[in-house]
Amino acid sequence: MLQERYSRQELFNPIGKSGQNKISDKHVLLIGAGALGTGNAEALVRAGVGTITIVDRDYVEASNLQRQQLYSEEDAKKRMPKAIAAKERLSQINSSVTIHAKIMDASFAELSSLAQDVDLMIDATDNYDTRLIINDAAQKYNVPWIYGACVGSYGMTFTIIPGETPCLQCLWDNIPMSGGQTCDTAGIISPAVNMVVSYQTAEALKILVEDWQALRGKLVMFDLWENTHTEINVKKVKKKNCPSCGEQAYFPYLSNEKLMKTAVLCGRDTVQFRPSEKKTIDLTEIESVFSSQGLVVQRNPYLLSVTFAPHRVVVFYDGRVLVHGTNNVTEAKKYYHRIFS
């Protein structure tokens, strides 16, 4: 029976037996084990990828079960780390795949190290700080990566090939990449997740079998509820002076300079986040979003406070954030990213 595991995939002419052999020799780094991460992981493990490394800092919660397909109610009850729960389930699906589970925050140091030993990276994160680190690591170590994002009924994806396509920084400077909404503010439906996963996994298989000509080459955006689909040719937005992929690239997000500063405030049960660069925050917009969800929001001329019981998050105009009610940085980051995606 196991000899026939990939028979239908091998019958697909662009893959065949030779492509299947290539897939089984490849190593994929998956950053994030949430909705996009679990979907991509299961598809690639079923496809027979040789090695997959899963990086995630979070644990399973009940609210994940609606769309994060590898997890069970028992995982949520035990608060199992997502990387571990994903590995256990994936190993049951395909025992021939080598799976590495990394319970960690994907900062520049970790991704710089991991990126040097993989053939492909897949973005399944929930924030742009991490995506920009992935982008720089991909450019520095010449590793293809596939960007993906979804919220509500909307999704977006783009495949980035170092030296060929614009990088995320190029796109970021030229195309609106986010409306400021997250799954925590606008919700999400699973079909939007599945659509992004399908695009990402299809592009991943093309890269793993080295069929470079088959890659889409366009930024894809869609809204399943509004019945819209858009593809944008972004070749012209590649910038010669881009700090991440330009002629004099210096990979700014692989250094402490671009790293958000985090500190546990002594004796206050509070974690402070300070942005790496000065910025001005629109507190009115944040107030509108979270007030509409029925949360307790207070604002004065200097700051805004949102209560996510049992924690309270205070946002200042300069981008500084205080998360009260914890001295655990990993836990505090979850609330930080509810404010800023």
Side-chain angles (χ1 to χ4, degrees), residues 304-324:
L304 174 141
S305 170
V306 186
T307 299
F308 303 101
H311 302 290
R312 186 167 60 89
V313 179
V314 176
V315 184
F316 296 85
Y317 273 111
D318 63 358
R320 189 166 56 88
V321 173
L322 298 177
V323 180
H324 297 288

Side-chain angles (χ1 to χ4, degrees), residues 41-114:
E42 180 169 345
L44 291 174
V45 165
R46 289 187 184 278
V49 66
T51 304
I52 184 168
T53 296
I54 302 171
V55 176
D56 194 278
R57 66 189 176 199
D58 209 351
Y59 56 84
V60 182
E61 298 177 277
S63 62
N64 302 147
L65 302 180
Q66 167 250 355
R67 65 198 181 281
Q68 299 182 17
Q69 65 193 54
L70 292 178
Y71 306 132
S72 67
E73 291 181 355
E74 191 65 18
D75 293 327
K77 192 180 299 183
K78 294 180 177 178
R79 296 187 177 181
M80 286 290 289
K82 289 183 177 180
I84 299 300
K87 177 180 178 178
E88 290 181 358
R89 174 62 180 141
L90 292 168
S91 296
Q92 293 172 353
I93 291 171
N94 192 341
S95 59
S96 67
V97 176
T98 300
I99 303 168
H100 302 297
K102 305 285 186 181
I103 308 169
M104 62 170 64
D105 193 17
S107 74
F108 73 93
E110 287 80 10
L111 286 180
S112 290
S113 175
L114 292 169

Side-chain angles (χ1 to χ4, degrees), residues 128 147 154 156 171-179 219 221 232:
Y128 277 92
Y147 160 78
Y154 174 83
M156 177 186 298
L171 295 181
W172 184 270
D173 290 342
N174 289 276
I175 298 172
M177 297 292 285
S178 171
L219 174 66
M221 298 179 288
I232 304 175

